[in-house]
Amino acid sequence: MVTIKDIANRLGISVSTVSKGLNGASDISEDLRQMVLDTAVEMGYQSKKMKKDENKKLCLFIENMDYETANQFGYEIILGFRQAAFRDGWSVSVIPVTPAFQMTEKYDTYMLKNGYSGGFLVGFALHDDWMRQLAFTSIPTVLFDNYIKKNPHVCYVGTDNSEGIESAVDHLYQLGHKKIAFLNGSLYSMVSEKRYQAYLDAMKSHNLPVEEDMVAHGYYVADSAKYHVPNFLAAGATAILCGNDLIASGVITECQLRGFSVPDDISVVGFDDLPISSFLEPPLTTVRQERTELGKCGYATLSSLINHVSVSMTLLRPQLITRASTAPCAEREEKAEKE
């Protein structure tokens, strides 16, 4: 067990100076405080407040994701995590994170100086500063829809994207669709990469061609549709599979604005099953992620890591929810695009 004295010996400074650095005292320099924190993390030091039951603190960091209302994707994930943690006596801080925050705060030292025993990171991009740091962290950490190789302290929790996309493509194929376009979410996102690969695999399994002008990356927002749907329609797509429900809502609107009926002329499938999905016109066929259960699973996995049970990844099964936005493929006449 690493002690304050061990840190002091490593740095060649007094025990009292190490104590000041660990506890945020104002009478030492910021550089020295950072050196103490970095060394403590490197040596695997755990403060007394991290160990005390009365100070059971977890932190949920969230980036690039809305979460404040029930209609937003992150809301139920956070709710499920907090519900599960509360039952075991943990308090949970929810902290929105920006790239600038990550540049000014190192992950391990932030966790150490604030007494957090573990972290759940939601919505992070592959190129984020903290993602690189997590390759070496010793802090129990769970990532939603991100993966770090070969670190026993970090686990990936998510939905089986491959199974979800495959079920959507299977559904469209059974309806007779062969020209299936794919409007994906953001680049530099592991979930986008996995869904794209799943689309390629599913199309190949049905001997369907993947045409370059039938695949595009946008963002996980409805506005992405207006930049790509015209190209899909011009290429003869009879179905559009979307990276999430927000994109799908934009696709439905864009198709209708251009004189195409959903689903008579073109079928649309989303991913997530957000509350809005059943209220769209027409109601959206989509792949459901059980977001509350994902939050609970995030906590259960983090609890395992805190108790020294190393977990690599945990995937929940998706479920295809069939509604009125998909229908059997029919020969359609070319529609004149509306200005």
Side-chain angles (χ1 to χ4, degrees):
M1 185 70 68
V2 177
T3 66
I4 290 179
K5 185 176 181 181
D6 295 327
I7 299 170
N9 290 339
R10 167 74 73 87
L11 293 175
I13 59 179
S14 68
V15 169
S16 63
T17 300
V18 173
S19 179
K20 290 178 180 180
L22 293 173
N23 291 289
S26 59
D27 58 343
I28 65 171
S29 71
E30 181 62 27
D31 287 344
L32 181 55
R33 185 185 71 84
Q34 191 65 51
M35 184 187 304
V36 170
L37 289 169
D38 288 346
T39 303
V41 168
E42 179 187 348
M43 297 178 69
Y45 172 78
Q46 284 190 306
S47 65
K48 290 181 180 178
K49 64 181 179 180
M50 290 175 74
K51 299 172 190 174
K52 288 181 179 179
D53 286 344
E54 63 268 24
N55 197 66
K56 294 176 66 175
K57 293 171 56 181
L58 303 175
C59 194
L60 191 155
F61 299 98
I62 190 161
E63 183 186 26
N64 300 316
M65 189 179 293
D66 294 326
Y67 64 93
E68 294 176 338
T69 69
N71 287 325
Q72 295 172 330
F73 183 84
Y75 179 86
E76 289 179 328
I77 293 176
I78 292 175
L79 178 63
F81 185 88
R82 298 184 85 162
Q83 286 174 337
F86 179 78
R87 285 194 288 270
D88 284 345
W90 291 92
S91 66
V92 178
S93 301
V94 178
I95 299 181
V97 173
T98 62
F101 181 87
Q102 294 177 59
M103 291 177 66
T104 59
E105 291 279 2
K106 291 183 179 180
Y107 175 71
D108 280 13
T109 53
Y110 185 87
M111 297 294 282
L112 180 62
K113 72 184 181 183
N114 288 289
Y116 292 118
S117 297
F120 186 30
L121 277 62
V122 180
F124 281 65
L126 291 171
H127 58 274
D128 279 339
D129 277 1
W130 278 10
M131 291 299 295
R132 289 188 288 271
Q133 296 172 30
L134 290 175
F136 308 102
T137 188
S138 59
I139 303 290
T141 304
V142 173
L143 303 176
F144 174 67
D145 275 340
N146 267 312
Y147 183 65
I148 298 294
K149 294 181 179 179
K150 299 180 180 178
N151 187 335
H153 305 289
V154 182
C155 176
Y156 157 35
V157 165
T159 296
D160 190 332
N161 291 289
S162 297
E163 187 173 300
I165 293 295
E166 181 181 359
S167 67
V169 173
D170 287 350
H171 171 65
L172 293 170
Y173 181 79
Q174 290 165 11
L175 292 172
H177 294 277
K178 294 183 172 61
K179 294 181 74 66
I180 303 170
F182 182 42
L183 181 48
N184 202 1
S186 311
L187 290 168
Y188 312 115
S189 161
M190 194 189 79
V191 69
S192 295
E193 292 180 2
K194 284 188 172 294
R195 289 178 189 174
Y196 174 62
Q197 187 58 54
Y199 166 77
L200 297 179
D201 293 343
M203 295 290 282
K204 183 179 179 180
S205 71
H206 291 299
N207 296 312
L208 298 177
V210 175
E211 302 173 22
E212 185 176 343
D213 54 1
M214 299 274 275
V215 179
H217 279 84
Y219 295 94
Y220 286 110
V221 294
D223 265 2
S224 291
K226 64 185 179 184
Y227 301 107
H228 303 289
V229 166
N231 295 333
F232 293 163
L233 296 175
T238 64
I240 302 176
L241 173 59
C242 304
N244 76 350
D245 293 342
L246 296 179
I247 297 173
S249 70
V251 167
I252 290 174
T253 298
E254 191 66 25
C255 288
Q256 292 169 342
L257 286 173
R258 294 174 178 275
F260 288 81
S261 171
V262 178
D264 295 334
D265 296 322
I266 189 157
S267 289
V268 178
V269 180
F271 202 111
D272 289 338
D273 196 26
L274 292 176
I276 63 165
S277 301
S278 59
F279 297 104
L280 294 175
E281 186 56 47
L284 181 66
T285 294
T286 186
V287 177
R288 175 179 293 167
Q289 295 198 73
E290 297 289 354
R291 292 178 299 283
T292 303
E293 297 306 314
L294 282 167
K296 292 178 180 178
C297 187
Y299 168 72
T301 305
L302 185 56
S303 179
S304 294
L305 295 176
I306 290 170
N307 288 289
H308 310 293
V309 178
S310 183
V311 183
S312 175
M313 64 176 66
T314 303
L315 297 179
L316 301 189
R317 288 198 178 278
Q319 180 185 2
L320 181 70
I321 305 298
T322 304
R323 298 193 182 101
S325 68
T326 52
C329 181
E331 292 296 326
R332 57 175 169 79
E333 297 179 2
E334 293 301 319
K335 306 275 185 179
E337 290 188 357
K338 295 183 178 181
E339 295 297 330

